[in-house]
Amino acid sequence: MKIKYLHIILLLLAILCPVVSLRAQVALPDEEWREVDFKDTALISSQAFSAKMVDYLFRTTTDGDMKRFDSLSMISISNILERAKVNMRVYEYVLDFMLNGYTNMGRTQVVDYLLNYPMLTEGEVSVEEGYRLDSITAPYQLVKVGAKAPDFMGVGIEGETYQLYRSEAKRVLVVFWSMDCEYCHDFLTKIRRHLDLKSDYELVTFALADSQEEVAETVRQMRLPGHHFYDSLRWESKAFLDYHITSTPTVFLLDAEKNIVCKPYDWDELKLYIKSNK
């Protein structure tokens, strides 16, 4: 996996931390945050505050069962945001920090939870504060499950012109990947081996690489059908920006209307979704 922002690695390590009892997790909040003054806007620029949030999430979101990771994450996030809302600037910072982190982790359920502004109720937010919150979440709202995927038109590495919205495929897999990411190669290999990419699914990929020639050679070696694209702007290319890509691999499964129906973190999640939605 290749990540755009290095500090997110700390959040990824959460899945490796020692087992913590649920009783300890529930008892932590008051003890953890009693000495933190959430009314102090200086928290926004405090590395110690950011580190404390990461440490808290590190210890409270793993109980040895990854199936519970998302639900435990939402509980822990709520504990922080409940305290942060006494200062909307701090709340906005925490929300942005969490959205960035859990997006990079591929935890779609947690991201969707954050997009509902946890712990805020109607009347607690001014119009100006609401605009600021919406500006933070706007890029994520555009590519959440249920949204229509951003359109794309370009010339593939084989010289063909392709436009997403003109595709007649019933299902489209959009994959953002990196040439130097072994996990990306493994994900794409499993997609090729286990899915019919000639009739049931259309594969569209966007690669981070040193050159188009490198992408073309790798695609040929992997025997990947579909449409494949390269842009020397890399992270700043239009497709990466439109889809708010901050890590690779990032995968979107689209239906015939080009709505995002799944954003799988790994092959197992994609396989489970397909099995459950035949």
Side-chain angles (χ1 to χ4, degrees):
M1 177 176 290
K2 191 175 183 66
I3 301 176
K4 190 174 180 182
Y5 304 105
L6 293 179
H7 76 277
I8 302 304
I9 293 175
L10 292 174
L11 283 177
L12 289 171
L13 290 175
I15 64 174
L16 302 176
C17 69
V19 174
V20 180
S21 71
L22 187 58
R23 179 179 298 177
Q25 292 168 11
V26 173
L28 275 174
D30 287 337
E31 299 173 9
E32 287 283 308
W33 303 106
R34 185 178 294 125
E35 296 181 0
V36 177
D37 182 7
F38 282 92
K39 295 181 180 180
D40 187 358
T41 308
L43 291 176
I44 295 173
S45 58
S46 170
Q47 292 184 356
F49 177 56
S50 299
K52 186 176 181 64
M53 286 194 291
V54 171
D55 177 68
Y56 174 63
L57 293 168
F58 187 97
R59 290 182 288 106
T60 61
T61 57
T62 303
D63 67 349
D65 184 357
M66 274 303 293
K67 293 180 181 179
R68 289 164 49 84
F69 180 77
D70 286 351
S71 58
L72 289 173
S73 294
M74 288 185 275
I75 292 172
S76 296
I77 289 169
S78 297
N79 288 331
I80 299 175
L81 289 177
E82 174 66 26
R83 290 158 176 78
K85 70 179 185 180
V86 298
N87 183 334
M88 282 305 299
R89 287 295 190 182
V90 175
Y91 183 100
E92 292 161 15
Y93 169 74
V94 174
L95 180 69
D96 190 32
F97 185 87
M98 299 294 181
L99 280 169
N100 188 23
Y102 284 98
T103 295
N104 280 305
M105 294 176 71
R107 307 319 302 177
T108 303
Q109 186 177 354
V110 180
V111 172
D112 286 351
Y113 173 70
L114 287 163
L115 293 178
N116 291 317
Y117 308 137
M119 314 316 293
L120 291 182
T121 58
E122 188 174 354
E124 285 188 297
V125 180
S126 68
V127 173
E128 181 183 351
E129 291 167 343
Y131 282 136
R132 290 203 303 266
L133 287 170
D134 289 345
S135 69
I136 291 171
T137 62
Y140 303 92
Q141 298 279 6
L142 291 174
V143 290
K144 69 179 182 179
V145 172
K148 188 166 185 177
D151 194 13
F152 171 80
M153 182 172 67
V155 178
I157 59 175
E158 299 296 333
E160 81 283 8
T161 299
Y162 175 84
Q163 183 173 0
L164 177 64
Y165 281 9
R166 290 188 176 182
S167 170
E168 297 181 355
K170 293 183 178 180
R171 303 177 188 85
V172 181
L173 269 172
V174 181
V175 180
F176 292 84
W177 63 293
S178 304
M179 191 62 59
D180 58 353
C181 167
E182 293 184 9
Y183 184 73
C184 298
H185 288 251
D186 180 64
F187 204 156
L188 284 167
T189 298
K190 288 178 178 176
I191 287 173
R192 176 183 61 79
R193 287 178 178 174
H194 299 287
L195 298 181
D196 185 346
L197 299 177
K198 294 183 178 180
S199 58
D200 291 344
Y201 296 86
E202 181 173 74
L203 179 63
V204 180
T205 75
F206 300 88
L208 290 173
D210 292 330
S211 68
Q212 180 168 304
E213 292 71 24
E214 183 183 21
V215 177
E217 178 61 25
T218 301
V219 166
R220 280 193 291 270
Q221 290 179 359
M222 296 178 70
R223 305 193 308 280
L224 286 175
H227 304 276
H228 309 281
F229 299 90
Y230 165 79
D231 191 322
S232 60
L233 291 177
R234 297 171 66 85
W235 294 103
E236 302 304 315
S237 67
K238 187 177 187 304
F240 273 74
L241 293 175
D242 285 350
Y243 279 81
H244 197 64
I245 304 302
T246 55
S247 67
T248 59
T250 297
V251 180
F252 299 85
L253 177 60
L254 316 181
D255 63 14
E257 286 72 42
K258 309 306 178 285
N259 297 312
I260 300 170
V261 296
C262 182
K263 294 169 62 177
Y265 175 69
D266 56 18
W267 166 250
D268 288 338
E269 284 194 5
L270 177 58
K271 181 173 63 174
L272 179 61
Y273 177 85
I274 294 172
K275 182 179 180 180
S276 302
N277 293 273
K278 286 187 177 180

